[in-house]
């Protein structure tokens, strides 16, 4: 059961008009006073939420009769009342009878939804048998903060929740690995009743976006980033405008960036904006992956149509593909995987070096009288690559193709030696870089994460050593101008930022994903506005 075919019956997702997804967006309201809650409800509506979850357990002072009435009367959106006890991960640790009385009162005063925990659901639903208003829906929830159980255990849990008389089933589990989410998708797709299936934690983020594809009843989005009521919640703004959740339907193709870490990546902004601009039915997500072979084996259906691959998976990804582009094979690393629609086979390629090498060539051409340069301005130059991972190999290979002489500098000398021998070049330990200047006018390319946010004060080479270089390139693109580039510019070198490589590699990936020309101007604009 670990490798579900996540095909969805279209009938499960209602549609109509511009909005493909019937999945509602719910904003958790976790303010400490009723007055603040009312303000937050207004903000949730302005942000585009469909309903609000009023978390009574977060109130510092709670006057039941008066406060529940105020919240219902003054809410600008449909209300879901939750009074979560400590034993289910909430804040309330008082008397059970008072807690359930408050939920019954919310029901009587006109709440749209009540969330009650599985442990007390049978008793609670029994107590309101004849009093339940027609419009009220009871959500019966189960939270597992430790793990995501097996498909079989989840199926039994759904049956158990249904048996209480729930109108809507809610299961929230925790992701120890991104493949855990596939089990929740499988349960969601096959559920005969309305279901909310969410997986907490950063590895579970896709559950909160792709539930719109697999027929989930609702997803939670926060009004402000950081103000989460459960780990891993995205903002309403991201749900609506970054991932365009309203446009996700059963036939939406899923793409994403596989990495660890991955949350810093701007690829989802770029590709989702691109998809939107050309009217392509796809969504592109962050994928925090620990084991890429396991990930690709689990998400093996045609729904998952292509991936970008970043640190540290570029070399392992190559081994997972059925077929690899010859250039990528020489490099020994890929940064893009396409699932062929004809046979479902995985095809790997490397678009990294194309973007970087052309940006470096453009930088050099700009400084030379280009009418005098025939062929590549890299020909004959000494090209020093810092880093011996996938990106380092890709750049070294690309520069070698253009006629440059290659030096690989790495923390572990043996690894540098290994790659230098394969490509045909020199090897250095990174600690020797400061003393290395056999000639002037060299090219330096940093392909490590040294200097990336949050460690922006780090640099792989001292400033005085930069005088020997005509051009310095840094693959790091957050921040756009790293300490390395700043000091290189002060030393008189031409500088090329990682955003150039990032844009270049993204063009080709977009075209491979969609079969359409990349919106290059839009990509530039997006990168400039987010850097």
């Amino acid at each position: 059961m670990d490798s579900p075919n996540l095909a969805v019956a279209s009938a499960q997702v209602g549609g109509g008009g511009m909005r493909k997804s019937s999945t509602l967006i719910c904003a958790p309201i976790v303010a400490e006073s009723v007055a603040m809650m009312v303000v937050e409800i207004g903000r949730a509506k302005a942000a585009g939420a469909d309903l609000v979850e009023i978390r009574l357990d977060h109130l510092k002072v709670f006057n039941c009769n008066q406060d529940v009435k105020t919240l219902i009367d003054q809410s600008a959106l449909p209300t879901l009342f939750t009074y979560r006890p400590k034993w289910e991960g909430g804040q309330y640790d008082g008397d059970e009878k008072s807690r359930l009385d408050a939920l019954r009162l919310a029901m009587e005063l006109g709440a749209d939804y009540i969330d009650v925990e599985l442990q007390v659901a049978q008793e609670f639903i029994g107590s309101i048998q004849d009093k339940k208003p027609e419009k009220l829906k009871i959500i019966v929830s189960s939270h597992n903060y430790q793990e995501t159980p097996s498909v079989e255990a989840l199926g039994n849990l759904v049956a158990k929740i249904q048996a209480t008389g729930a109108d809507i089933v809610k299961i929230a589990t925790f992701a120890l690995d991104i493949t855990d989410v596939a089990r929740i998708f499988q349960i969601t797709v096959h559920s005969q009743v309305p279901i909310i299936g969410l997986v907490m934690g950063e590895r579970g983020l896709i559950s909160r976006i792709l539930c719109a594809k697999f027929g989930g009843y609702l997803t939670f989005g926060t009004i402000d980033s950081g103000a989460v009521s459960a780990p891993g919640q995205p903002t309403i703004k991201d749900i609506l405008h970054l991932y365009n959740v309203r446009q996700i339907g059963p036939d939406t193709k899923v793409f994403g960036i596989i990495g660890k870490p991955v949350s810093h990546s701007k690829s989802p902004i770029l590709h989702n904006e691109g998809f939107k601009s050309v009217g392509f039915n796809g969504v592109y997500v962050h994928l925090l992956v620990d084991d890429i072979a396991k990930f690709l084996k689990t998400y093996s259906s045609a729904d998952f149509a292509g991936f970008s691959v970043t640190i540290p998976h570029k070399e392992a990804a190559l081994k997972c593909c059925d077929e690899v582009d010859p250039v990528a094979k020489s490099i020994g690393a890929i940064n893009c995987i396409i699932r062929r629609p004809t046979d479902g086979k995985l095809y790997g390629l490397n678009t990294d070096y194309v973007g970087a090498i052309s940006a470096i060539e453009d930088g050099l051409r700009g400084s030379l009288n280009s009418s005098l340069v025939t062929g590549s301005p890299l020909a004959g130059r000494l090209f020093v690559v810092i880093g011996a991972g996938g990106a380092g190999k890709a750049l070294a290979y690309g520069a070698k193709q253009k006629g440059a002489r290659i030096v690989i500098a790495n923390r572990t000398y043996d690894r540098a030696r290994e790659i230098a021998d394969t490509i045909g070049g020199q090897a250095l330990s990174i600690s020797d870089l400061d003393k290395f200047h056999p000639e002037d006018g060299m090219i330096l390319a940093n392909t490590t994460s040294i200097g990336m946010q949050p460690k922006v004060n780090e640099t792989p080479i001292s400033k005085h050593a930069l005088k020997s270089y005509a051009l310095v390139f840094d693959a790091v693109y957050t921040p756009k101008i790293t300490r390395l580039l700043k000091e290189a510019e002060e030393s008189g070198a031409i500088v090329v930022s990682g955003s150039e490589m990032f844009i270049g590699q993204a063009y080709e990936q977009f075209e491979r994903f969609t079969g359409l020309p990349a919106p290059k101007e839009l990509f530039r604009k997006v990168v400039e506005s987010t850097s």
Side-chain angles (χ1 to χ4, degrees):
M1 293 297 271
D2 239 351
S3 174
N5 181 6
L6 301 170
V8 190
S10 307
Q12 292 211 267
V13 178
M18 282 299 290
R19 178 174 171 168
K20 280 187 196 165
S21 167
S22 64
T23 302
L24 301 172
I25 296 165
C26 180
I29 305 294
V30 292
E32 295 182 351
S33 75
V34 170
M36 280 160 70
M37 279 190 168
V38 172
V39 171
E40 291 296 282
I41 293 168
R43 291 183 63 218
K45 184 176 184 177
D50 297 306
L51 71 154
V52 285
E53 179 188 36
I54 293 171
R55 286 289 300 265
L56 295 175
D57 51 304
H58 281 257
L59 289 170
K60 287 282 177 263
V61 178
F62 180 45
N63 177 342
C64 185
N65 288 22
Q66 188 185 324
D67 292 347
V68 171
K69 187 174 183 345
T70 302
L71 286 162
I72 291 173
D73 290 348
Q74 295 190 21
S75 178
L77 285 169
T79 53
L80 187 176
F81 277 82
T82 302
Y83 203 178
R84 193 76 72 219
K86 278 223 160 123
W87 48 261
E88 188 84 5
Q91 310 266 329
Y92 180 79
D93 59 356
D95 162 63
E96 261 307 270
K97 184 182 178 305
S98 310
R99 186 175 81 84
L100 298 178
D101 281 347
L103 292 175
R104 276 187 281 263
L105 179 69
M107 172 194 86
E108 286 161 22
L109 293 176
D112 299 277
Y113 301 86
I114 301 284
D115 178 320
V116 60
E117 301 73 25
L118 174 59
Q119 206 172 309
V120 295
Q122 203 107 36
E123 179 200 337
F124 180 83
I125 292 171
S127 77
I128 60 165
Q129 212 71 64
D130 314 318
K131 309 183 194 93
K132 186 184 165 214
E134 201 159 320
K135 76 158 187 171
L136 177 81
K137 291 200 169 18
I138 303 282
I139 298 170
V140 173
S141 59
S142 166
H143 296 77
N144 184 331
Y145 293 92
Q146 274 70 53
E147 58 171 4
T148 300
S150 67
V151 168
E152 192 184 359
L154 288 169
N156 292 339
L157 182 58
V158 170
K160 205 170 161 187
I161 292 175
Q162 272 186 266
T164 64
D167 297 304
I168 298 165
V169 170
K170 178 185 174 188
I171 296 173
T173 64
F174 189 79
L176 298 170
D177 190 277
I178 195 166
T179 55
D180 295 348
V181 185
R183 301 199 283 280
I184 288 288
F185 287 154
Q186 197 171 351
I187 290 296
T188 305
V189 162
H190 296 117
S191 177
Q192 302 304 304
V193 290
I195 186 166
I196 302 162
L198 298 170
V199 189
M200 298 177 278
E202 195 189 339
R203 288 169 178 78
L205 173 67
I206 55 169
S207 71
R208 300 175 178 280
I209 296 147
L210 300 183
C211 56
K213 174 177 174 61
F214 297 119
Y217 187 83
L218 66 75
T219 188
F220 291 93
T222 64
I223 304 166
D224 300 305
S225 59
V228 299
S229 65
Q233 282 176 352
T235 61
I236 298 169
K237 187 180 172 200
D238 280 354
I239 289 173
L240 287 175
H241 305 293
L242 167 56
Y243 301 113
N244 309 314
V245 163
R246 300 262 195 247
Q247 294 309 308
I248 296 176
D251 51 353
T252 299
K253 292 285 182 213
V254 180
F255 303 86
I257 176 139
I258 294 171
K260 183 185 180 182
V262 78
S263 60
H264 65 280
S265 172
K266 291 178 181 156
S267 294
I269 306 173
L270 214 56
H271 287 285
N272 286 322
E273 281 295 321
F275 291 165
K276 211 183 338 187
S277 76
V278 299
F280 179 77
N281 184 12
V283 61
Y284 187 106
V285 291
H286 288 103
L287 300 163
L288 177 59
V289 170
D290 298 282
D291 176 338
I292 188 167
K294 185 179 176 189
F295 171 84
L296 291 168
K297 199 171 157 219
T298 303
Y299 296 98
S300 60
S301 78
D303 287 312
F304 293 85
F307 308 100
S308 310
V309 184
T310 188
I311 296 167
H313 297 304
K314 294 184 180 194
E315 284 151 313
L318 185 135
K319 299 182 183 80
C320 300
C321 292
D322 300 295
E323 202 184 311
V324 177
D325 172 76
V327 177
K329 201 170 270 182
S330 318
I331 293 167
I334 60 173
N335 73 326
C336 184
I337 299 173
I338 304 296
R339 189 182 306 283
R340 277 205 301 245
T342 46
D343 55 9
K345 293 251 162 56
L346 297 177
Y347 177 71
L349 60 148
N350 193 311
T351 69
D352 268 341
Y353 72 101
V354 184
I357 296 294
S358 52
I360 290 167
E361 286 181 322
D362 290 348
L364 286 171
R365 282 196 188 101
S367 72
L368 304 164
N369 185 339
S370 53
S371 62
L372 303 176
V373 181
T374 54
S376 172
L378 286 174
R381 297 258 192 173
L382 199 59
F383 194 105
V384 180
V385 178
I386 305 174
K393 262 192 197 164
L395 249 76
Y397 187 90
K400 178 84 177 175
Q401 263 193 331
K402 301 287 188 174
R405 294 169 292 136
I406 306 300
V407 177
I408 306 279
N410 195 46
R411 276 202 181 108
T412 46
Y413 173 79
D414 289 349
R415 177 83 173 128
R417 179 74 276 156
E418 195 185 308
I419 292 176
D421 287 348
T422 313
I423 287 173
Q426 236 180 306
L428 273 185
S429 168
I430 208 167
S431 54
D432 295 333
L433 258 187
D434 287 354
K435 301 188 289 291
F436 180 77
H437 38 84
E439 60 189 67
D440 286 332
M442 299 187 290
I443 309 292
L444 182 70
N446 173 42
T447 68
T448 70
S449 57
I450 299 170
M452 185 164 98
Q453 267 167 357
K455 297 179 178 174
V456 293
N457 293 320
E458 292 184 1
T459 181
I461 184 171
S462 65
K463 188 175 177 179
H464 75 85
L466 291 168
K467 291 187 178 65
S468 309
Y469 294 92
L471 180 145
V472 175
F473 163 80
D474 197 341
V476 170
Y477 66 90
T478 49
K480 189 175 179 181
I481 301 299
T482 55
R483 179 179 165 190
L484 171 64
L485 292 184
K486 188 171 171 290
E487 292 182 348
E489 198 160 29
E490 288 163 2
S491 307
I494 300 158
V495 298
V496 177
S497 87
S499 60
E500 292 299 322
M501 172 176 173
F502 175 62
I503 292 171
Q505 58 83 29
Y507 288 159
E508 196 175 333
Q509 291 198 11
F510 183 90
E511 295 181 355
R512 298 275 185 162
F513 290 157
T514 63
L516 300 164
K520 295 188 176 181
E521 283 308 303
L522 175 72
F523 274 18
R524 281 204 171 275
K525 227 184 285 175
V526 170
V527 170
E528 276 158 27
S529 68
T530 55
S531 50

